[in-house]
Amino acid sequence: MLYWLAQTMDFAGVFNLIRYLSFRAGAAIATALIIGLLIGPRFIGWLRVRQGKGQPIRDDGPQTHLAKRGTPTMGGLMILTSMVTSVLLWMDLSSIYVWACLFVTLGFGAIGFLDDYDKVTKASHKGLSGKMRLVLEFLIAGFAAWLIVNQHGNTALYLPFYNGPAIELGPFYFLFAAFVIVAFGNAVNLTDGLDGLATMPVIIACMAFMAIVYLVGRADFAEYLGIPHVPGAGNLTILCGAIIGAGLAFLWFNAPPAAVFMGDTGSLALGGTIGVIAVTAHHEIVLGVIGGLFVVEAMSVIIQVFFYKRTGKRVFRMAPIHHHFEQLGWAEPTVVIRFWIISFVLALAGLATLKLR
């Protein structure tokens, strides 16, 4: 909105800064952060009154988690409110990439909200059926992928550490892109099991992709680095900034001991949004590096279920893998901070792929 005003009106001086991506990205961080911090206390209080007993805690989970009973969930609504408001203020709303990303954000957020609502109202940790969730997620992700490809017309897969020709996927790219978005959304959702565990790695991943989408959107930098150039993708730096600001505000209340849980409302939406940003920038494989922590969390669940169904034995003491380390005796803050460190290192490794081609 503010960007449109700057373009249509003859602003001078400081108001001319609105036209610059770097200024709007910083402003998006500050705006989302301030909104999140302002609405947080009342929002959490409202959730506590509406939910009563808060998010159901699994009896078969770590016993230390039973003390968290009564903590409200659906804190993702707070993240989405501050994030979307900031995006609408600072982004170029004529960009189809903006709307493709917001479609995934709000669509996945709605699915997560229905899941959280079902859990809270029925006092059960089951929520919506897995099949229904996946069908809805793939429909949303598939439409977003179609919007993106219809804009830039590129259906190639680019490999890191390789400067040769890209792999042309053709029509199969739509399925691949949808899978990336859905898989990453659910990977972040699985990671959100400890206070602050998913929030900071999401922020770190968005910091990395803020740099990537800016470089991809610049023809000169993209040519120099040997990465795909996607005209207009640079606008997504503002979206990344909005997620960072909203995430930092949420972390203020989600830090141990958490006053509110993100819930599926936030984790699905944030994961899906990072996935669609990676698809837009044609850095889907690099997403697996930068978001490697989320990938490992998801794989630990898949491995655990696969082996348990076939052998009756568990590979990990408990899945997702952060619970495995809790069962080994690690304190919750220890698990969280060490996983943050791993996430930061993986983000640096992902950024290193930009030149190592």
Side-chain angles (χ1 to χ4, degrees):
M1 183 186 299
L2 292 177
Y3 174 78
W4 178 80
L5 288 173
Q7 291 291 92
T8 56
M9 301 179 69
D10 188 19
F11 282 131
V14 69
F15 292 102
N16 193 50
L17 289 172
I18 295 175
R19 297 173 180 172
Y20 293 94
L21 276 177
S22 55
F23 175 81
R24 286 186 287 130
I29 295 174
T31 302
L33 176 61
I34 293 169
I35 293 174
L37 291 175
L38 288 176
I39 69 174
R42 289 193 176 185
F43 199 89
I44 294 169
W46 177 77
L47 286 175
R48 188 175 288 112
V49 170
R50 298 288 297 178
Q51 295 179 10
K53 295 181 179 180
Q55 177 172 299
I57 305 297
R58 298 178 66 104
D59 292 326
D60 58 347
Q63 295 303 300
T64 54
H65 289 203
L66 298 179
K68 300 183 181 184
R69 280 179 173 157
T71 305
T73 187
M74 297 187 191
L77 289 173
M78 186 177 80
I79 299 175
L80 297 184
T81 300
S82 54
M83 167 190 154
V84 172
T85 302
S86 181
V87 166
L88 294 178
L89 278 173
W90 297 108
M91 283 197 76
D92 176 8
L93 299 181
S94 65
S95 171
I96 195 66
Y97 300 137
V98 176
W99 296 109
C101 291
L102 286 181
F103 181 71
V104 171
T105 301
L106 298 177
F108 276 37
I111 295 171
F113 175 82
L114 292 174
D115 196 52
D116 286 334
Y117 184 80
D118 198 53
K119 292 175 182 176
V120 170
T121 53
K122 295 180 180 178
S124 170
H125 56 76
K126 292 183 179 179
L128 296 178
S129 71
K131 290 182 179 179
M132 178 179 291
R133 277 180 46 156
L134 283 175
V135 168
L136 293 174
E137 288 167 12
F138 267 102
L139 287 174
I140 293 168
F143 182 68
W146 177 82
L147 287 175
I148 293 167
V149 173
N150 191 54
Q151 180 68 16
H152 60 51
N154 191 345
T155 56
L157 174 64
Y158 295 84
L159 302 177
F161 308 111
Y162 177 66
N163 201 29
I167 302 172
E168 180 57 52
L169 297 181
F172 293 103
Y173 182 80
F174 294 97
L175 182 60
F176 171 73
F179 172 78
V180 169
I181 297 168
V182 172
F184 207 74
N186 283 279
V188 174
N189 181 229
L190 289 170
T191 306
D192 183 35
L194 301 179
D195 297 349
L197 178 59
T199 311
M200 193 62 192
V202 163
I203 293 170
I204 292 170
C206 283
M207 287 179 176
F209 270 98
M210 178 182 278
I212 289 172
V213 293
Y214 178 77
L215 296 171
V216 165
R218 290 280 301 264
D220 48 353
F221 289 149
E223 182 180 2
Y224 171 71
L225 294 170
I227 58 178
H229 170 51
V230 183
N235 282 303
L236 296 183
T237 56
I238 292 95
L239 175 58
C240 291
I243 296 174
I244 292 167
L248 288 172
F250 180 75
L251 188 61
W252 183 269
F253 305 103
N254 186 235
V260 63
F261 295 143
M262 184 187 298
D264 293 359
T265 308
S267 57
L268 266 181
L270 293 176
T273 304
I274 296 173
V276 75
I277 290 172
V279 168
T280 303
H282 274 293
H283 275 66
E284 303 90 347
I285 305 300
V286 174
L287 173 64
V289 179
I290 293 173
L293 176 67
F294 301 115
V295 175
V296 170
E297 290 272 9
M299 289 303 300
S300 69
V301 174
I302 295 171
I303 292 169
Q304 185 87 320
V305 172
F306 178 84
F307 277 92
Y308 186 77
K309 283 186 175 181
R310 282 155 181 78
T311 66
K313 297 180 180 179
R314 292 179 170 86
V315 177
F316 308 102
R317 294 193 177 186
M318 189 176 291
I321 198 168
H322 55 260
H323 291 321
H324 171 77
F325 289 106
E326 283 191 289
Q327 295 298 315
L328 290 177
W330 291 20
E332 181 173 333
T334 302
V335 177
V336 171
I337 293 174
R338 287 178 179 174
F339 276 37
W340 287 0
I341 295 170
I342 293 171
S343 182
F344 181 74
V345 172
L346 289 171
L348 293 178
L351 288 174
T353 67
L354 294 177
K355 188 54 183 170
L356 299 177
R357 292 173 183 264

